[in-house]
């Protein structure tokens, strides 16, 4: 589900009432004992954000306010309810675990579901397996380790699965539909932590006598995209398998006949799987055909094709031999040989059975490495929290509710406190529920010099008046709050004389936070924008600003607001925190 990147909308802290509902749901759905432990799984200040998967499925993700790790998610289409991420399961083992060998773990990390042949054992922290029906949530662990590496839903009832796993029968089919794994894009949206060596309360899986090596061999024998298929399920016996792909355990002891077999198998594979589907590949020079087609098409695993160790000694002699056999047609010109065409109706081609090639495996490994690199380089927007601290006339309101006056509160927390005060003192207007009749505490907040006391006011206007009377603070990515409202970064494109323009950037100092703290200093920003925009840049104090403000600006010659915006976003600054403005010269009358 999260093999490909997903879109995440801006997150916001849950209201206290919503967090309590989330906590209660977690305690009930996952039987958390004691219930107080629900605070660990739904911590105070937890954020929520809407997500859209690569399959255009909408959902919600709940994010740890301290580490930015996704803790829970739900997908609306599946009606799946809450699903824990691996970050949550590393804190507490909530689910029945299906253990699988490393070979199966690699495949599910690539987007495959967990197949029945890949399940070694089933376990639970209580030692007793609950009677789980089909579609129940399960964790997936590597055999011999306790840290969950995936989360999915049972494809069949747990009782049926345990019977199949404990039997010696070769049963095909899916054991679990995998939703989320360690290393996928949802994991990469968090702190990218590695699995712990031990999970509190969990035990390493026990195979109970099942042949783990046999399971791994069976998985390796199948195709990477259809891991439930083994040689037996395809109807291929050991003798046929041996004839279709030579033994490759000892690469350094290959005989000339072994090299000949590899060479011939690679030719059959490339003609049936590549040339037949891409006839424009021919004609092709012999050297290009060997490098780009035959070498990647050799059976996996096998060493590079070394013609000197074959009975042919040269590639040209091999081509002349298969030309005489009628497999292909070549054309000789001076020192070059060109493969002109292939005879796809030859019995050798028609009887060829496809196998996994070195090129396919290398392509998958490269794609996996590219995905991992992209996930590591992905920039996650800063989580900005606007906060308010009790001040002046609002202090009495917080003290009346036994709330700390030294704590900075979110807008939703202030709203909850106000609603509690309104209900406790019956301040809702009798005939107009949208209006509030302020008591003495609220009148003190609303009172303005020279004006009559307010008799009633709309609830939203009352909330805004209280916030306006409080002291503004802010926090970035859960860091300790800082005094003052967080102002946006300003990008002003100013016109100069003779049709010239300058792009001025100010207000970036407050965003120098976390891994990009050094990237958003005036000196570094000037240096990076100079390279990115390929123009001259300068940095220095804002002209006319007071010495106490210590504000800096970076000036870039030319109109580069779009590039500057893209650069700031690449450093984690949200788009909403960037303000662009064009200042043109006033025309002289």
């Amino acid at each position: 589900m999260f093999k490909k990147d997903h879109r995440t909308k801006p997150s916001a802290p849950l209201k206290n009432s919503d967090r309590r509902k989330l906590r209660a749901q977690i305690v009930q759905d996952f039987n958390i004992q004691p219930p107080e432990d629900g605070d660990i799984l739904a911590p105070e200040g937890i954020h929520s954000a809407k997500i859209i998967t690569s399959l255009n499925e909408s959902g919600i993700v709940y994010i740890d306010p301290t580490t930015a790790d996704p803790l829970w998610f739900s997908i609306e289409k599946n009606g799946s309810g809450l699903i824990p991420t691996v970050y949550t399961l590393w804190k507490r083992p909530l689910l029945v675990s299906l253990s699988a060998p490393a070979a199966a773990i690699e495949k599910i990390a690539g987007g495959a579901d967990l197949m029945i042949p890949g399940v070694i054992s089933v376990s639970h922290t209580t030692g007793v397996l609950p009677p789980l029906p089909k579609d129940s949530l399960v964790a997936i662990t590597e055999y011999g380790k306790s840290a969950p590496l995936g989360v999915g839903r049972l494809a069949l009832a747990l009782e049926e699965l345990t019977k199949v796993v404990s039997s010696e029968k070769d049963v095909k089919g899916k054991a679990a539909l995998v939703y989320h794994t360690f290393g996928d894009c949802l994991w990469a949206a968090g702190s990218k932590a590695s699995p712990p060596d031990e999970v509190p309360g969990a035990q390493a899986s026990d195979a109970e006598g099942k042949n783990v090596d046999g399971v791994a061999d069976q998985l390796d024998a199948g195709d990477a995209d259809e891991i439930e298929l083994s040689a037996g399920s395809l109807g291929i016996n050991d003798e046929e398998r041996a004839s279709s792909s030579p033994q490759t355990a000892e690469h350094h002891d290959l005989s000339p006949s072994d090299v000949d077999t590899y060479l011939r198998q690679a030719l059959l594979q490339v003609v049936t799987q590549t040339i037949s589907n891409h006839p424009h590949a021919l004609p092709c020079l012999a050297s290009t055909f060997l490098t780009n087609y035959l070498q990647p098409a050799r059976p996996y695993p096998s060493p590079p094709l070394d013609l000197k160790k074959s009975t042919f000694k040269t590639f040209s002699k091999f081509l002349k031999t298969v030309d005489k056999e009628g497999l292909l047609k070549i054309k000789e010109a001076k020192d070059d040989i060109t493969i002109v065409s292939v005879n796809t109706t030859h019995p050798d081609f028609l009887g060829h059975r496809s196998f996994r090639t070195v090129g396919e495996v290398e392509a998958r490994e490269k794609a996996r490495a590219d995905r991992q690199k992209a996930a590591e380089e992905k920039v996650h927007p800063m989580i900005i929290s606007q906060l308010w601290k009790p001040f002046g006339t609002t202090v009495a309101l917080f003290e009346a509710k036994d709330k700390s006056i030294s704590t900075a509160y979110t807008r939703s927390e202030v709203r909850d406190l106000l609603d509690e005060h309104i209900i406790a003192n019956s301040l809702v207007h009798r005939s107009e529920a949208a209006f509030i009749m302020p008591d003495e505490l609220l009148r003190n907040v609303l009172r303005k010099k020279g004006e009559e006391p307010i008799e009633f006011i709309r609830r939203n206007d009352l909330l805004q008046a209280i916030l306006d009377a409080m002291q503004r603070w802010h926090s970035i990515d859960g860091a300790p709050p800082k005094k003052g409202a967080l102002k946006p970064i300003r990008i002003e494109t100013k016109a100069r004389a003779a049709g010239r323009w300058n792009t001025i950037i100010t207000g970036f100092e407050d965003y120098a936070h976390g891994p990009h703290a050094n990237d958003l200093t005036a000196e570094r920003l000037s240096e990076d924008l100079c390279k990115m925009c390929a123009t001259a840049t300068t940095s220095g104090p804002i002209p006319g600003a007071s010495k106490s403000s210590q504000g800096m600006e970076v000036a870039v010659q030319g109109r580069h607001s779009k590039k500057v915006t893209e650069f700031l976003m690449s450093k984690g600054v949200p788009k909403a925190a960037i303000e662009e403005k064009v200042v043109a010269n006033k025309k002289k009358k």
Side-chain angles (χ1 to χ4, degrees):
M1 181 173 292
F2 296 100
K3 179 183 178 182
K4 296 182 179 180
D5 202 3
H6 59 282
R7 288 172 286 168
T8 304
K9 295 187 177 181
S11 65
L14 283 182
K15 296 192 299 184
N16 282 344
S17 57
D18 290 337
R19 188 186 79 87
R20 288 193 293 269
K21 291 178 182 178
L22 175 66
R23 175 184 174 277
Q25 183 181 353
I26 293 171
V27 170
Q28 179 180 351
D29 292 352
F30 297 92
N31 192 25
I32 305 300
Q33 295 296 333
E36 291 74 19
D37 286 358
D39 291 327
I40 301 175
L41 304 177
E44 186 174 353
I46 189 171
H47 286 59
S48 68
K50 292 184 178 181
I51 58 173
I52 301 177
T53 69
S54 60
L55 301 176
N56 285 328
E57 297 174 341
S58 300
I60 298 176
V61 62
Y62 297 93
I63 305 168
D64 190 302
T66 304
T67 63
D69 291 336
L71 301 179
W72 303 87
F73 69 95
S74 62
I75 303 299
E76 295 176 1
K77 181 179 179 181
N78 298 336
S80 55
L82 285 175
I83 302 175
T85 67
V86 291
Y87 290 112
T88 296
L89 295 178
W90 292 344
K91 295 180 180 179
R92 179 160 181 163
L94 304 173
L95 307 174
V96 168
S97 294
L98 309 183
S99 69
I105 296 297
E106 289 182 6
K107 295 180 189 300
I108 67 171
D113 291 321
L114 179 62
M115 302 301 172
I116 291 176
V119 179
I120 297 175
S121 68
V122 184
S123 61
H124 193 253
T125 53
T126 62
V128 179
L129 295 180
L132 297 181
K134 180 182 177 182
D135 294 329
S136 297
L137 287 173
V138 290
I140 301 170
T141 62
E142 183 177 345
Y143 169 68
K145 298 181 180 180
S146 62
L149 299 179
V151 183
R153 290 191 178 274
L154 287 172
L156 67 168
L158 185 63
E159 183 179 2
E160 183 180 351
L161 177 61
T162 53
K163 290 180 180 179
V164 172
V165 171
S166 60
S167 69
E168 296 297 330
K169 296 180 180 180
D170 183 14
V171 180
K172 298 183 294 181
K174 295 182 178 181
L177 306 178
V178 179
Y179 284 4
H180 156 59
T181 63
F182 164 70
D184 67 8
C185 292
L186 182 60
W187 165 86
S191 60
K192 302 178 185 176
S194 300
D197 295 332
E198 294 183 4
V199 175
Q203 296 179 351
S205 53
D206 184 4
E208 296 182 356
K210 189 166 182 178
N211 186 354
V212 181
D213 294 334
V215 173
D217 293 341
Q218 185 179 10
L219 289 169
D220 287 338
D223 185 85
D225 297 324
E226 297 290 344
I227 62 175
E228 75 274 16
L229 298 179
S230 63
S233 63
L234 289 170
I236 307 173
N237 58 38
D238 292 340
E239 184 178 348
E240 290 174 329
R241 190 166 20 157
S243 64
S244 65
S245 181
Q247 297 297 321
T248 61
E250 299 294 336
H251 293 164
H252 57 279
D253 287 335
L254 291 178
S255 65
S257 61
D258 288 334
V259 179
D260 291 353
T261 304
Y262 277 128
L263 193 59
R264 192 175 187 87
Q265 287 294 311
L267 176 63
L268 298 178
Q269 180 77 7
V270 78
V271 170
T272 56
Q273 302 301 315
T274 305
I275 302 299
S276 60
N277 298 324
H278 302 87
H280 61 275
L282 298 180
C284 179
L285 289 175
S287 58
T288 303
F289 191 75
L290 174 62
T291 303
N292 296 349
Y293 292 99
L294 285 193
Q295 291 285 10
R298 65 188 189 274
Y300 176 84
S302 64
L305 298 172
D306 188 350
L307 273 298
K308 293 181 181 180
K309 294 183 179 180
S310 69
T311 58
F312 302 102
K313 302 302 181 185
T314 64
F315 189 46
S316 59
K317 187 174 181 181
F318 169 74
L319 291 176
K320 292 176 182 177
T321 300
V322 294
D323 177 81
K324 290 179 181 179
E325 295 177 6
L327 274 76
L328 50 76
K329 185 177 181 181
I330 63 173
K331 180 180 179 180
E332 298 184 61
K334 296 183 180 180
D335 296 333
D336 293 332
I337 295 180
T338 302
I339 294 91
V340 179
S341 62
V342 295
N343 180 15
T344 55
T345 61
H346 192 282
D348 286 3
F349 290 135
L350 296 177
H352 175 68
R353 193 182 297 275
S354 181
F355 49 77
R356 186 159 39 152
T357 66
V358 171
E360 292 172 349
V361 174
E362 290 177 346
R364 288 193 185 97
E365 291 176 350
K366 183 179 183 301
R368 186 183 297 112
D370 290 344
R371 288 195 301 270
Q372 183 71 19
K373 182 179 180 182
E376 292 174 354
E377 294 178 350
K378 180 183 176 183
V379 177
H380 302 283
M382 301 174 184
I383 299 176
I384 298 174
S385 300
Q386 299 289 359
L387 304 172
W388 289 263
K389 182 178 285 189
F391 179 76
T393 57
T394 63
V395 170
L397 176 62
F398 282 79
E399 288 179 338
K401 296 300 176 183
D402 294 328
K403 298 292 184 180
S404 171
I405 62 173
S406 61
T407 301
Y409 297 90
T410 64
R411 183 186 184 92
S412 61
E413 290 171 337
V414 176
R415 184 195 297 115
D416 290 345
L417 181 140
L418 176 60
D419 290 343
E420 182 182 341
H421 181 77
I422 291 172
I423 294 172
N425 294 276
S426 302
L427 302 181
V428 178
H429 196 283
R430 293 178 181 179
S431 58
E432 296 290 341
F435 287 86
I436 305 300
M437 298 182 296
D439 60 1
E440 190 61 29
L441 278 177
L442 297 179
R443 288 196 192 98
N444 287 336
V445 177
L446 298 172
R447 183 176 289 117
K448 294 182 180 179
K449 190 175 181 180
E451 294 184 0
E452 293 293 328
I454 296 176
E455 295 183 6
F456 53 86
I457 184 173
R458 287 185 178 275
R459 189 185 298 257
N460 289 339
D461 294 340
L462 175 59
L463 173 62
Q464 189 59 51
I466 292 174
L467 293 175
D468 291 343
M470 297 175 71
Q471 197 175 60
R472 291 295 300 270
W473 289 64
H474 69 271
S475 173
I476 299 178
D477 290 338
K482 292 184 178 180
K483 188 176 180 179
L486 184 62
K487 297 180 181 179
I489 297 177
R490 292 176 59 87
I491 303 175
E492 292 188 347
T493 306
K494 293 185 177 181
R496 299 169 55 201
R500 297 180 182 179
W501 294 81
N502 268 3
T503 303
I504 311 297
I505 307 99
T506 57
F508 47 83
E509 295 93 337
D510 289 339
Y511 295 84
H513 173 82
H516 299 296
N518 296 327
D519 296 336
L520 295 177
T521 61
E523 183 178 353
R524 182 66 177 273
L525 187 59
S526 175
E527 180 182 337
D528 290 342
L529 290 178
C530 177
K531 297 176 182 178
M532 184 176 184
C533 302
T535 188
T537 60
T538 59
S539 63
I542 299 175
S546 62
K547 294 183 179 180
S548 59
S549 67
Q550 298 180 343
M552 300 289 286
E553 73 170 18
V554 173
V556 183
Q557 286 188 9
R559 306 181 68 168
H560 298 288
S561 61
K562 184 177 179 181
K563 289 185 178 180
V564 173
T565 299
E566 291 175 352
F567 175 81
L568 292 173
M569 292 179 66
S570 73
K571 300 303 179 183
V573 179
K575 174 70 173 173
I578 301 174
E579 183 180 284
E580 298 181 53
K581 184 179 179 181
V582 177
V583 181
N585 274 336
K586 294 182 179 179
K587 295 183 179 180
K588 296 182 179 180
K589 294 182 180 180

